[in-house]
Amino acid sequence: MSGSPQDHEVVFESGDRSACMELRLVLEAAGIAAGAQSRRGRWRLIVAAEDVSAAQRELEEYRRENQSRSTETVSVTPTYAGAAIGVVVYAAVVVVIGLSTLPWGLGGDLFTPGEMQAGKVLAGDAWRCVTALTLHVDEGHLASNLLFGILFGFLAGRTVGGGIAWFSIVSAGAVGNWLNALVQQPEHRSVGASTAVFAALGLLVAAALRPRRSSGESLLRRWRPLVAGVMLLALIGVGGERTDVTAHVTGFFAGLLIGAISSRIPTRWLADERTQWLAGLATFAVVTLAWVVALSVT
């Protein structure tokens, strides 16, 4: 820049040289000549007196654009406690019941009172929607649901807290079994935690969708958690001659619905240890009560 100091005015001042140089480039890109001066450890951006108004408009517009871009970013989702203890209790329940029913264990018959049989569920045996989630036909069935249940359950616990996560998962799993009973033949039977496992996946998808609703992402990017969830459902939820695909789909769908609710619970509740413990105890009580009813009426 040329001219005397009296012909120029300061439009920006900072102790950060890089910030001053960045804005100098902004002005020069707009056709406004600008210079940078250092004085007493401060950097000043100066322009000709007749360019002051135009320079201030350009700088203000640049600030607004940067602020707009920053508000379009997806905020980091907080995590909550109780995920580890939640999966420990889940594993303990399915392993203990597995030891009670599998041939190399006690070999007891809990399938007659506890399996999901569509006709009986619709006739009033609602407890079967819960008890069926804890039964497995063999070691491979148990191991698979144990693995994926721990994985998805832990992630769900980190998302909404261990207690609320498992209350949501068991509730969605039971709803999934009931929906399965609605569309199957009366003699259809189904057991396994997989309905609840895919309910946990649905809960994770619902939680991932929520913060993207106010973002500036494209439609495809906004709904990519749902696309990923459906692809995962298709990858691990379909296949095998004994696989109840309908139960997996209804569990996933129920998880989406209940997850949409649980992910909107106020943060102060999710962060409250007492609330999480109460939800966890309620979950254990529901499963216990379902088995008490099952064993007492059959």
Side-chain angles (χ1 to χ4, degrees):
M1 294 181 63
S2 60
S4 65
Q6 290 80 10
D7 297 331
H8 301 87
E9 293 190 23
V10 176
V11 292
F12 177 77
E13 184 175 353
S14 172
D16 186 354
R17 178 181 181 275
S18 61
C20 189
M21 294 303 177
E22 177 184 351
L23 295 182
R24 180 182 181 182
L25 291 175
V26 170
L27 293 181
E28 291 184 346
I32 302 174
Q37 293 179 345
S38 176
R39 182 174 298 179
R40 298 188 182 93
R42 303 283 294 176
W43 283 88
R44 297 177 176 182
L45 187 63
I46 59 173
V47 299
E50 63 269 20
D51 292 331
V52 169
S53 296
Q56 289 175 339
R57 285 196 301 270
E58 288 294 334
L59 293 179
E60 182 60 28
E61 180 64 24
Y62 182 71
R63 293 189 189 98
R64 281 201 299 266
E65 288 178 358
N66 280 346
Q67 185 177 11
S68 176
R69 282 195 294 268
S70 67
T71 59
E72 290 176 359
T73 58
V74 179
S75 58
V76 176
T77 304
T79 57
Y80 300 96
I85 191 170
V87 296
V88 168
V89 174
Y90 162 74
V93 169
V94 296
V95 168
V96 167
I97 293 181
L99 290 174
S100 301
T101 57
L102 294 176
W104 50 266
L106 299 178
D109 179 20
L110 295 180
F111 289 87
T112 300
E115 67 182 359
M116 196 292 288
Q117 185 173 341
K120 291 184 178 180
V121 167
L122 298 181
D125 291 3
W127 68 83
R128 294 177 181 270
C129 293
V130 176
T131 54
L133 299 173
T134 65
L135 294 169
H136 297 88
V137 295
D138 56 33
E139 297 88 341
H141 190 206
L142 174 61
S144 174
N145 285 332
L146 193 60
L147 173 63
F148 287 108
I150 289 174
L151 174 61
F152 294 153
F154 180 81
L155 294 176
R158 294 285 287 172
T159 301
V160 294
I164 291 175
W166 281 101
F167 186 83
S168 301
I169 291 169
V170 171
S171 299
V175 171
N177 274 336
W178 179 76
L179 292 174
N180 191 24
L182 282 179
V183 300
Q184 299 284 6
Q185 295 297 320
E187 63 275 9
H188 179 80
R189 291 176 168 84
S190 179
V191 295
S194 55
T195 309
V197 168
F198 285 101
L201 176 60
L203 186 148
L204 290 171
V205 170
L209 285 172
R210 184 169 182 257
R212 287 174 165 76
R213 290 191 170 184
S214 59
S215 73
E217 292 180 310
S218 66
L219 185 63
L220 179 60
R221 289 176 63 86
R222 185 181 309 171
W223 292 101
R224 61 185 174 182
L226 180 59
V227 174
V230 171
M231 291 178 64
L232 195 55
L233 171 64
L235 180 65
I236 64 176
V238 179
E241 59 184 23
R242 294 185 302 177
T243 301
D244 191 343
V245 176
T246 306
H248 294 176
V249 173
T250 56
F252 180 73
F253 178 72
L256 283 175
L257 295 180
I258 292 180
I261 298 172
S262 63
S263 63
R264 284 163 175 75
I265 294 175
T267 301
R268 66 180 183 277
W269 293 0
L270 297 178
D272 183 60
E273 185 177 348
R274 181 180 177 185
T275 300
Q276 294 290 350
W277 273 104
L278 287 175
L281 291 173
T283 306
F284 190 78
V286 167
V287 175
T288 302
L289 180 61
W291 271 114
V292 168
V293 174
L295 296 174
S296 64
V297 300
T298 54

